[in-house]
Every structure is written in C-alpha cells, then in structure tokens.
Amino acid sequence: MPIKNVPFEALEVGMEAQRTRTLKADDLYVFANSSGNMNPMHLPKEDGDGDGMSESVAPGMWVASLISAVLGCKLPGPGTLYHAQTLRFLGRAHAGDELTVKVRLTAKGDNRLVTFDTWVEAQDGSRIVEGEAQVFAPEKPLQFELEDMPGLTVQRHVHFDHLLAMAEPLPAIPTAVVAPEKVDALAGALLAAEHTLIDPILIGHSEKVSAAAEEGGLDLNGFRVVDVRDHRLAAKQAVAMVNEGGAAAVMKGHLHTDQLLGEIVKRDGGLRRGRRLSHVFVMDVPGLEHLLLVTDAAINITPDLQTKADIIQNAIDLARSLGLEQPKVGVLSAVETVNPAIPSTLDAAILSKMADRGQITGGLVDGPLAMDNAIDLGAAATKGIRSLVAGRAEILVAPNMEAGNMLAKELTFLAHAEAGGIVVGAKCPIILNSRSDDDRARLASCAVAALHAARERTE
C-alpha cells in the first residue's frame, strides 16, 4: 500500500491523523535487541520486580516511537524530519494492549517548522503518553511503495517452551545415561534432572564421570553411578536395565551412536519390538506456527517401502504424544507428481494409499510433495494441489537419511531452529544428543522422551 505526504503548503492548523497498533510480545524482544535495553521489566518471560510474574511492560520510548510512525507515514508523512519532542508518561502499556496514536497540527512556523500535539491512548481511551512534537514538514508531494520492506522473525522458541511446560509436571523418568564421561554429556543429563524430566542413572567409567563433573563444576550427590569401563558393555547394561524395569529411557552420552544402537537392535536381549527403529527430529522453527517433525535423518540410510511405513508410523505416534491429535504427514520428494523415473515419488504415492487403507494410522498422509508445497499454502495453491496436508505438513518424511539430515541441519543453521529428537520404535524412548546441541536442545529431547514415555504407559 502506498504512503504519501501532505507538503508544508497544504498543511492547515487542526489537521489530525491517527494509527492503531497492538503491542505484541515479539515487539518487546525486537526493541530490546535494537536499543540494547535489556531491563527484565520489559521482557515477556522475565520477572523484573520479584513478584513471581512477568510484567511485559512496554518501554516508554517504544510507546513514544509510535508517534514518529504517524508523523513520518501519515501527517505530514514521507520527507518529515524531527526537530524536537516532549513527552509525559501517564500510564503503562503491556503486551497484548491495543494502542491508538494521535497527532493534531497546532502551529506552522518559518522554514517549514510545524508543531503537533501528540498522544497515545489505551483501548479505554485513557492517555498513557502525551507531549508536543516539532518537525520539519516536506516541501513537495511525495509517494512511496514499500512492498519490498524486509520483515523480521523473532528467534523465540515458544513451541519448546510449551513442551517443557507439558513435561515438567510428569514424574521424572528413570533414564540410563550411557558413558556420560564428558562435560557436555553429563551436564545435559543433570540439567534435565534439575527440570524433573529424567532421573538419570549414570553408566560409565566412574573416574571419567567424576572428572567430567569436576571439570564442569557439577554436583553428583544423589545420583547413581554404575561403574562400567567399556562403552559397549555400558550400552548393554543400559539395555538390560530397561528390560528388567529399572529404566524407562536410554540417553546417549560420549560414545559412538553405532555402539549404543548395536546393543539396542539386537534380536536377543535388545529393545526391538517388531517395528523398525527410526529417528525423529522435533524442531521449533522461528515464525512457524507449529512444531515441525523431520524423519528419518539419523538411522535408516536408504529405507525401503516397509521401512518408510514404519518411519511414518513412529513419527505419528510421537507427534500424538506431543499433543498433535491428527498429525499431517508430508512425504517429500523433488516434485509433487508421480514420476516413475523418481522412485521416491512412487513410494510416497503408495504410502499415501496405505494410510487411506488403514495400514498407517493416527495421521493424515499425503505425497509426493515437494518441500515448498508441503509447508506453504501459497505454493500448494499455485501448483493446484488440493489436500488437507499440502501447505500444512507437521511431519516431513525425507526420501533417505541424507536428505533428512541435510533438511534438519539447514533448518537449524540457516533458519535458526532449535532441534531436539529421539529414536522411536523401541521398547522405550532413546535420547540421541549431538555434541553441538545446546542446553535447550538437550532439554527439549528429554521433554519429548518424557511425554512419549508417559503416553505409551497409558496405552
């Protein structure tokens, strides 16, 4: 939409303009980052005055900045430059408030200097800011199209916050942590214990575990340490604990994934239960209105059709544990039409039909879908795809591990997504943390495991 001005000669005393704006929590984060004002009184998740609640008070200068938007975009409009502004703060605005900014021209002076009464009203009409602005009005008419104005996405991971809130009231699940012999592996387990997500049983070389605790300043008091000095044997001990009922989850520490999974997938004494194991990344992508699950990006290298069916069923079961009642599954390929020259399109079409016939249950499955029309409604409409999944996919099924791994890492490192994840399809959740995971990713993986374990206990 174009914006245009009122040049100095056309201005008349008494002219008014106004604009209404709802204060969003994200506005407070944007202002904090751009201004450097990190006062916790203004940050939505912080308790700035110690009363046990978040205040989310808008900074006074953020509210005042709304005045400049009216002067610069409406009256006088483009070409206007500030000379002076007085302010009196009469009230406070909070996240969620609807604010109306008004200006009234009161005087015209020399050199195109004009004076405005300015004020900001709350929704009930009460003033929270008032003052006077002097600006240099534009000399000639101007009009601008701002369609290419870049937008902002706040890197705030609200979906992971919700997962943690769902999981923390649950009983901590006894978790066999295999080889927590480095600081990052040990700290992740103890952090999850602090949040009552897991009750870790530390299986590994006891001296190395103690050394990692000392290096990281971590307290092992109250935690059980099982001294097993070989990684394969430590993994075997963890599997035995699950089979004997002493643990309800397994967590990878500082050992090779192959060593851990080798014990888990053994036909005799392992944790298999008929279905193929698969890994699911649970991702909180800034700007996306829901969690996004990506599978399989870590275990099955070139899955055949039946393995893909298991991968999808595993992901649906996990998504339901996370609160998605009927997850929407997009089976990805390079194109959205069936092409015999691209085998993944044939698999996707068959998997969709398998879901229609009840061979895959609990979710809506559609494919083949290209990445764009799987997650973007506009792209799906452009291609003429009519589907309950296209443009709305909550689970993305990659054609192979390479594609899935690249997709998950692109979302993490280019789209600034947070990524947690677990292995599903076994007798218990298996938490596979990466050395590059930060604390929130480790917590999220443990929260996902706790929620999945809780749902499986009730079924």
Side-chain angles (χ1 to χ4, degrees):
M1 182 177 180
I3 61 171
K4 54 187 178 180
N5 67 7
V6 181
F8 178 77
E9 292 299 331
L11 289 172
E12 298 179 3
V13 172
M15 281 183 166
E16 295 185 355
Q18 68 180 54
R19 171 178 284 186
T20 297
R21 164 77 179 270
T22 299
L23 170 58
K24 300 177 182 178
D26 282 356
D27 293 326
L28 303 181
Y29 287 118
V30 170
F31 187 83
N33 278 279
S34 60
S35 69
N37 181 1
M38 300 296 176
N39 181 351
M41 290 293 291
H42 307 312
L43 300 179
K45 288 177 60 180
E46 304 299 328
D47 175 14
D49 58 8
D51 66 354
M53 297 190 306
S54 170
E55 283 68 43
S56 297
V57 178
M61 297 310 293
W62 182 88
V63 178
S65 72
L66 301 180
I67 297 169
S68 69
V70 178
L71 295 171
C73 296
K74 303 193 77 170
L75 186 70
T80 299
L81 291 173
Y82 253 116
H83 176 63
Q85 173 80 58
T86 64
L87 297 167
R88 290 177 296 278
F89 296 96
L90 309 174
R92 302 294 178 194
H94 299 79
D97 288 353
E98 185 178 270
L99 306 176
T100 300
V101 188
K102 298 181 179 181
V103 303
R104 180 186 299 118
L105 181 61
T106 59
K108 295 178 67 175
D110 297 333
N111 299 319
R112 304 198 315 277
L113 186 66
V114 292
T115 303
F116 286 87
D117 280 340
T118 59
W119 66 98
V120 180
E121 296 177 355
Q123 196 163 356
D124 62 3
S126 62
R127 292 191 179 189
I128 59 174
V129 177
E130 64 182 17
E132 182 180 86
Q134 288 188 317
V135 299
F136 294 105
E139 183 177 5
K140 57 186 178 182
L142 296 169
Q143 180 170 311
F144 293 90
E145 296 280 350
L146 297 178
E147 293 179 357
D148 61 347
M149 185 70 178
L152 292 174
T153 299
V154 176
Q155 295 177 30
R156 191 161 58 94
H157 298 99
V158 295
H159 304 305
F160 274 10
D161 292 342
H162 180 60
L163 284 184
L164 291 170
M166 289 172 61
E168 287 191 356
L170 298 173
I173 54 173
T175 301
V177 184
V178 184
E181 299 163 355
K182 293 290 183 179
V183 173
D184 56 353
L186 181 59
L190 299 191
L191 180 65
E194 182 182 329
H195 284 258
T196 68
L197 299 172
I198 68 171
D199 179 12
I201 305 160
L202 308 173
I203 307 172
H205 194 302
S206 59
E207 293 176 8
K208 292 182 179 179
V209 174
S210 297
E214 183 175 353
E215 181 184 345
L218 305 171
D219 185 2
L220 292 180
N221 286 332
F223 295 106
R224 180 182 171 192
V225 179
V226 180
D227 186 22
V228 181
R229 303 196 170 200
D230 177 88
H231 285 175
R232 185 185 66 80
L233 293 177
K236 185 175 182 178
Q237 178 69 29
V239 169
M241 281 187 176
V242 173
N243 283 324
E244 294 164 4
V250 174
M251 184 175 186
K252 176 179 175 285
H254 190 75
L255 78 163
H256 290 297
T257 300
D258 288 348
Q259 290 178 296
L260 178 61
L261 293 180
E263 295 299 320
I264 288 170
V265 300
K266 280 186 174 179
R267 293 192 180 276
D268 295 325
L271 299 180
R272 298 172 66 167
R273 60 177 186 183
R275 194 185 298 166
R276 190 66 174 258
L277 272 63
S278 59
H279 182 271
V280 183
F281 273 114
V282 179
M283 312 199 76
D284 190 339
V285 184
L288 195 62
E289 294 182 355
H290 54 79
L291 281 171
L292 186 68
L293 280 61
V294 176
T295 190
D296 179 346
I299 293 183
N300 296 287
I301 299 173
T302 53
D304 59 18
L305 181 65
Q306 184 55 55
T307 300
K308 287 182 179 180
D310 286 349
I311 287 170
I312 292 172
Q313 190 65 65
N314 286 340
I316 289 173
D317 291 348
L318 179 60
R320 287 168 60 85
S321 297
L322 304 183
L324 301 175
E325 292 185 8
Q326 191 177 42
K328 302 176 183 67
V329 183
V331 188
L332 297 180
S333 184
V335 295
E336 63 282 345
T337 53
V338 175
N339 183 340
I342 306 177
S344 60
T345 66
L346 301 176
D347 283 354
I350 295 169
L351 291 162
S352 299
K353 184 55 66 175
M354 290 174 70
D356 290 344
R357 299 289 170 86
Q359 293 171 270
I360 299 171
T361 61
L364 301 173
V365 181
D366 193 17
L369 293 172
M371 181 65 183
D372 56 347
N373 46 62
I375 62 170
D376 186 87
L377 282 169
T382 298
K383 295 291 182 68
I385 302 172
R386 297 178 181 176
S387 163
L388 293 175
V389 174
R392 306 177 180 88
E394 295 156 327
I395 299 172
L396 298 178
V397 180
N400 54 50
M401 189 183 78
E402 292 172 300
N405 194 274
M406 286 186 280
L407 173 57
K409 288 181 178 175
E410 285 162 0
L411 289 170
T412 300
F413 291 99
L414 295 180
H416 308 290
E418 283 278 11
I422 63 172
V423 175
V424 284
K427 293 179 182 177
C428 71
I430 301 154
I431 305 164
L432 289 186
N433 287 321
S434 167
R435 283 173 293 179
S436 62
D437 286 346
D438 61 15
D439 285 348
R440 282 190 61 75
R442 293 173 189 273
L443 276 180
S445 295
C446 292
V448 168
L451 289 166
H452 193 48
R455 178 173 172 269
E456 293 208 322
R457 283 196 302 269
T458 62
E459 292 191 346

